Amino acid sequence: MRCHLYSTRLLSLLFTFCLFSGVALAQSGAPVKGTVLDQTRQPLGFATIMLVHLPDSAIAHSQMADEAGTYLFEKVAAGRYVVKASRIDFNTALSQPFEVNGQPVQVPAILATPKTTALKEVVVQGKRPLLEQQADRLILNVEKLNTAGENALEVLKNAPGIRIDKDDNILFRGSGGVNVMLNGKMTYMNGAELSAYLKSLPASAVSKVELMANPPASYDAAGTAGIINIQLKRELTKGMNGTLSAGTGYGKYEKAWAGLNLNYNLGKVSFYTRLNTGHYNSYNRLTMEREIRDSLYRSVNFWHPITKSVNVVAGADYFISKQHTVGFMVKGYTSPQDVLTTSNSVNYDVPGNPIGNVQMHNPRDVTSHNYSLNVNYKFDIDTTGRSLTFDSDFVRYRNAADELFTNQFFGQTVVSENALEELQSFSDADVRIFALKLDYVHPLANNWKAETGWKSSWVRNDADIRFERREEDRWLNDVRRTNHFLYDENINAGYVSLSKKVSKALSLKAGLRAEQTISEGNSLTLKNVANRNYWRFFPSVFVGYTPSEDHQFSTSYSRRISRPNYRSLNPFTFYSDPYTGLLGNPFLQPSFSNSFMVSYSFKSFQVLSISYLQEKDFVMEVVTQNDDTKESISTPKNLSRARSLSFSSGGTLPVRKWWNANLQVQGSLNKVTTPVQGEQYNQEQFSWDLSTDHNFILPKNFSVQYSAYYSSPSVSGLFRNKASYLMSIGGKKTFLDGRATVSLKLNDIFDTARFRAHLRYANVNMYWQNEWESRRLNLTLDYKFGNSKIKTARSRRTGTSDEENRVSK
């Protein structure tokens, strides 16, 4: 990879800036220490301690007491304070107010009394979730929900603006371009792998869900939908616990899966591991019709993959002291797949008589695997909140496939003069990612807080595919389809942000992120090289206003970038059948977006959220049709401008004590304006989505769930999508004191889920209908064992999330 001299200097400057920010922002103060005891005057270990400033009740500092119940705030600014101590099994206790004026302060022992109704307070029936609106994120407190027997994926349905699609992919604000984090670090999973893990995680382990439609400057600027951060509970008891899960399903074909989630806390060291395996037999049917002059071409492609997957994640955190923590995480994933793809393309004349067709038979043997390593270090410099975090990541993705194509031509063949065409291909795609990341947090006087950091990533993508054509008894290289593509990328980023708690009701935050991208795409076969070298700045601003517990307002703005995924840059044509193919574009430019959002929540229900998104040079597939050869080639291209004005409203409603309902409604006015193939293209339409989930609590730990979803006709880039809808029903039973749950669910009862769309411009007139195994009957069993109050792995955020998201898209 090419590395320029000024890029190296930039890294040095950013690194120096991050390391010495603490010196520049240093502040003085006096230590405040004390002890918290129970009613028998025994130490109350691991209580949450907050230093509260008076008279505005702003939280100046917070920490956790040690095993002896002692706490120490090292540098406290002058002022009047009170110390508040809390723990889930004890009532909140307060110290007497005291003054800090530059001298050490010893706070008299705080006495806390145990809760006599703790069990009743934890098991809440029919309560609405508590939504907390902060300046840069919306927080759903999951502990306020009745989630008995549910999993983490089901919990997300309760969050405003989140929907789960047909394949259990997570959509945020109607878009799948969302990054999902777990305890502040990337999950290193996406798609089916992510949904399988979240299903294996019991809802009882989830503390809260953070929704960041416009993420702050400390996060990568990539992606337009935002970030979802799932926070797990951090309980206090040492020991071991875990969850076992197993399930089976049937739609058109069989499925089976199993998983283990294990945590083991020894105090100084905390271990965790996750193991998931599955067998998935499924299908996908794509029907495509194309009008070419006076003829109609209709093709039906049937895709039948059989996948066997194994996913392992393991890690540990070593708490060296209160200030120093190191950790590591390793992940491995393999997914061998046997795929059979068949298609039949028929050509009809004007009266509708078939005049020719092509049949394709394509068996394929695919092996996908990846592994990653993360090493992390955190230095809690003092009790005021100053901290330094360092991450190092290495990730490798590998995908290899052997394929055989047999095309038979009947009647008026167009593409080939031979009645039989045989091809074989051998492909190997290897992606390696290495990243370094440093973050520093520094609280300042008067409720100010500064954050800064740096990140650099290096990506190497090596995609090699060899096609051969059978000529009599020999296999000869097919130069039309063979290609070798190399892509190298280096991204350097630095950021700074400031936030302030102006008052108990008003909070402000602003940040600026700068990213430099240096890349080179090289098609060795076509001798085609494309270089990129550009700087971009990404500002973000947040305002949060909470005049009372019931009313919460927020507004935010951010500028973001979407870089092309690696495969789309490869200038190579992948033929799905003799008439259709996908062609990469090495000259793709990144797209940029400006996002504004305003929201209002009342009593933990998001009454209204309004957002405006403007994208420039957005990437969309554009089909180019050759009327002579009848070929339709789809190529990703930068289109001019897309704008979207949308609203959403939703939350959980306690209809009755035994009936909880979740309602989400979203609407969007989308407009696309761009030149396409020499003609001006304008498309505008209002669309809306409605989803509802109902949970009926029955006697003897039974419950019934019903859900429905409807999506109106909409536009997406150049596509006009038709309406879609589905309904699902299920039941659950918990037993063994809530440790075991058995669930039965029928998804898409009437088998109505379809993707249908039209594409009309220039000489292109096409219709798509995509069907999948949407109607499925699933049976699952979950069992929780061990201690249910294990302290989970600490929160940390790895540094390769953006790069990984671009591997498989």
Side-chain angles (χ1 to χ4, degrees), residues 515-526:
E515 293 191 354
Q516 178 197 29
T517 303
I518 306 170
S519 68
E520 178 183 275
N522 184 3
S523 176
L524 301 180
T525 305
L526 303 178

Side-chain angles (χ1 to χ4, degrees), residues 219-289:
Y219 295 87
D220 286 326
T224 56
I227 291 175
I228 300 172
N229 182 32
I230 302 172
Q231 289 281 3
L232 300 182
K233 294 178 180 177
R234 294 178 59 87
E235 300 295 351
L236 309 172
T237 308
K238 298 179 182 179
M240 182 183 71
N241 76 346
T243 304
L244 282 170
S245 62
T248 183
Y250 192 86
K252 185 178 178 64
Y253 303 104
E254 79 287 348
K255 296 151 189 61
W257 57 90
L260 169 67
N261 183 27
L262 183 66
N263 296 284
Y264 190 34
N265 180 25
L266 298 175
K268 278 281 188 180
V269 183
S270 177
F271 299 94
Y272 60 93
T273 184
R274 302 190 295 267
L275 171 64
N276 291 284
T277 183
H279 167 85
Y280 304 95
N281 190 352
S282 60
Y283 81 96
N284 189 281
R285 179 186 288 110
L286 173 63
T287 302
M288 185 170 60
E289 295 180 353

Side-chain angles (χ1 to χ4, degrees), residues 50-54 80-84 94-98:
M50 289 180 285
L51 184 65
V52 181
H53 186 268
L54 299 177
R80 185 173 174 79
Y81 297 91
V82 66
V83 173
K84 180 163 66 173
L94 296 174
S95 72
Q96 293 296 319
F98 57 89

Side-chain angles (χ1 to χ4, degrees), residues 53-103:
H53 186 268
L54 299 177
D56 58 4
S57 298
I59 299 175
H61 309 292
S62 66
Q63 63 175 257
M64 183 177 291
D66 60 17
E67 295 183 6
T70 61
Y71 59 90
L72 170 65
F73 299 105
E74 292 183 349
K75 295 181 179 180
V76 179
R80 185 173 174 79
Y81 297 91
V82 66
V83 173
K84 180 163 66 173
S86 63
R87 210 174 81 173
I88 191 171
D89 50 346
F90 278 76
N91 294 309
T92 300
L94 296 174
S95 72
Q96 293 296 319
F98 57 89
E99 296 283 346
V100 176
N101 53 16
Q103 300 299 320

